[in-house]
Amino acid sequence: MSIKNKFGFSTRAIHAGNAADPSTGAVAPPIFATSTYAQEELGKTKGYDYSRAGNPTRTRLEENLAALEGGVAARVFGSGMAAVGAICHLMKAGDHIVASNNLYGGVPRLFNQIMTNLGLEFTYVDSADTRNVERAIRKSTRYVYIETPTNPLMGLTNIEAVSNIAHQHGCEVVVDNTFMSPYFQQPIKFGADIVMHSTTKFLNGHSDGLGGVLVCTTKDQAEKLLFVQKAAGAILSPFECWLVLRGTKTLAVRMKQHDENGRVVADYLSGHRKVKSVAYPGLKSHPQYELACRQMTGFGSMITFETGSLANAKRVLKRVRVCTMGESLGGVETLISHPASMTHAAIGEKGRKAIGLTDGMVRISVGIEDVEDIIADLEQALAGI
Ligand SMILES: Cc1ncc(COP(=O)(O)O)c(C=O)c1O
């Protein structure tokens, strides 16, 4: 069955890239654990010659993710960071990126500590005000790189407005859509040129594998990124491709439950007398609530709240029992973390201060457990401060 965009989201999630195996009829896609492929004669292959360049399980996942984001093709990499690195591999010394000043901390670490050494240039702006993006664009700007909502401050960027500005200046827009997943936000509909995900998070959804993807809107991007996969080699293994393929089949049901639980937990936290503030785009108090309603079809389950001090944050994190304290997000289990010392340690104290990321902030990725159990756990943890 050819899966075109006329099918609904879950139909695409379950069927795109998932046709029964032609040789056996197996309904679940085979994991092609092979490095190489027998060739019938010199130059005559069945479409695959070496697994760095291509693997049938990877092809299936790439078809699946392209169908979910509404792109023409997708390219998967060994982690979200490898996918960001692949964007940089499309550039040359002297090229420039305008990036949001609040991104997952590993992204500015890659940009500032590796890519600047190779001659790439970066300017960071508060992209919530799109005029800042326009001011920062230079003749050498190739990409505008945004994350919306941002990790961990939950700030939004207007994808359509940024895309219009970038296109007027001949640059492309890359959107990290990890927090929303294509179920709640499809940046290509608003003009984005490339959609990035850490598939480690909601797309896989079970905290059991790393991965990254770039969904392309043109054949040219797809060809160049295929070349990057082959030439630079940071590809996703067949087993992890299979895990993500399996994960996306339940993406819609998981995201609905994440969203339902996320709203309940955000409401609970915002009514708690010991919580100073809550950042969640689904709260009417969020400064960009209107934009969230226009650009997203749900609010997801990422919430950051202010406990008031490092000591308070530490106490909450030590006391949780149902929530797991650890890095990462987007799994079926609730994960709770301390951005200042974990995901955003790499940007340094100065960098955190500049964007308003405090030591008292705690980030929670609300899972799909029974929400009463999550609330009860937070209640007893917050009682400690
Ligand atoms: C929003 C976002 N983008 C990218 C990444 C990097 O992905 P990975 O850990 O798969 O390399 C992360 C990781 O936490 C993230 O939260």
Side-chain angles (χ1 to χ4, degrees), residues 28-59:
I31 304 170
F32 282 89
T34 187
S35 57
T36 191
Y37 307 81
Q39 304 190 13
E40 283 168 44
E41 59 183 76
L42 207 54
K44 194 167 174 204
T45 68
K46 291 186 164 66
Y48 296 94
D49 56 18
Y50 190 63
S51 273
R52 176 160 28 77
N55 176 284
T57 316
R58 192 165 100 211
T59 304

Side-chain angles (χ1 to χ4, degrees), residues 79-82 104 107 147 151 176 178-179 196 198-201 210-211 328-329 343 363:
S79 67
M81 288 316 306
Y104 162 63
V107 176
E147 189 177 297
N151 182 356
D176 182 338
T178 300
F179 271 28
M196 181 267 164
S198 163
T199 65
T200 314
K201 319 299 181 190
L210 264 76
S328 205
L329 59 107
T343 48
R363 191 193 74 184

Side-chain angles (χ1 to χ4, degrees), residues 268 321-323 370-383:
Y268 160 77
R321 294 288 170 267
V322 175
C323 308
D370 296 293
V371 75
E372 311 78 55
D373 294 331
I374 302 170
I375 302 272
D377 193 34
L378 291 171
E379 181 74 18
Q380 65 78 24
L382 285 163

Side-chain angles (χ1 to χ4, degrees), residues 236-257:
L236 193 62
S237 76
F239 177 60
E240 279 169 315
C241 289
W242 182 86
L243 283 176
V244 182
L245 259 179
R246 180 179 150 116
T248 59
K249 286 179 184 157
T250 55
L251 184 63
V253 286
R254 284 188 287 109
M255 290 315 290
K256 278 182 212 163
Q257 195 60 49

Side-chain angles (χ1 to χ4, degrees), residues 301-318:
S301 69
M302 297 304 300
I303 305 168
T304 298
F305 60 98
E306 178 59 68
T307 63
S309 68
L310 176 61
N312 283 347
K314 273 189 175 165
R315 259 179 237 131
V316 172
L317 293 167
K318 196 165 172 21

